[in-house]
Amino acid sequence: KELFICGRLKDMIIVRGRNYYPQDLERCAEEQDSRIRQGCVAAFSFSSSSSADEEVALVVEIRDGAKLSKSDLSEIATRIHSGIIKEHGVSMHDVVLLHPRTISKTSSGKIQRQKNKLRYLNA
């Protein structure tokens, strides 16, 4: 028997005793709309003073050249919320849509979930 550890424990999202991999939520969000940049979504959880449970948030980049109205942005966020609830049963506290090339990544192009989380909490 072999055991393979995938991902970082500190990135694990735990809501009401259930574990979620951020990569699963990020992939699901990317699939909800073609105007979302692939590989440019970060999912993370955080403690909220208004709830005893962990809250889940996503930061999501929009594709280059997408001229979007406020209603377009609202539609994208709603699609993400609905898709993640349907596939994973998890409700998003917040979905933040970002301009292209503004999400924090490593020099090799990997999403920096903890850095994005800090930016979100300090905004």
Side-chain angles (χ1 to χ4, degrees):
K1 295 183 182 183
E2 295 180 67
L3 173 67
F4 296 93
I5 307 297
C6 300
R8 296 179 177 198
L9 187 57
K10 69 180 179 178
D11 287 340
M12 179 70 71
I13 296 171
I14 303 170
V15 179
R16 291 183 296 283
R18 290 197 58 204
N19 297 347
Y20 301 92
Y21 292 102
Q23 300 89 336
D24 294 341
L25 302 178
E26 293 160 359
R27 179 198 42 77
C28 183
E30 289 173 358
E31 293 172 351
Q32 301 310 309
D33 197 288
S34 62
R35 297 170 286 189
I36 296 170
R37 286 189 76 204
Q38 300 298 301
C40 297
V41 177
F44 50 84
S45 64
F46 61 95
S47 296
S48 169
S49 59
S50 63
S51 173
D53 290 325
E54 286 282 302
E55 300 281 3
V56 181
L58 284 172
V59 291
V60 180
E61 278 190 17
I62 300 300
R63 287 190 182 275
D64 284 329
K67 305 270 191 258
L68 303 173
S69 67
K70 286 186 180 184
S71 67
D72 291 332
L73 297 172
S74 178
E75 175 190 350
I76 293 169
T78 299
R79 284 184 181 190
I80 292 169
H81 277 279
S82 299
I84 290 178
I85 287 172
K86 183 178 178 182
E87 188 171 329
H88 298 283
V90 141
S91 180
M92 298 288 103
H93 173 77
D94 203 4
V95 174
V96 179
L97 302 176
L98 304 173
H99 293 286
R101 294 175 193 61
T102 55
I103 201 164
S104 295
K105 292 185 174 185
T106 65
S107 59
S108 64
K110 294 178 184 168
I111 294 292
Q112 292 181 308
R113 289 183 190 90
Q114 296 303 312
K115 187 169 183 180
N116 283 293
K117 176 180 175 176
L118 287 174
R119 287 177 61 194
Y120 171 81
L121 293 173
N122 291 326

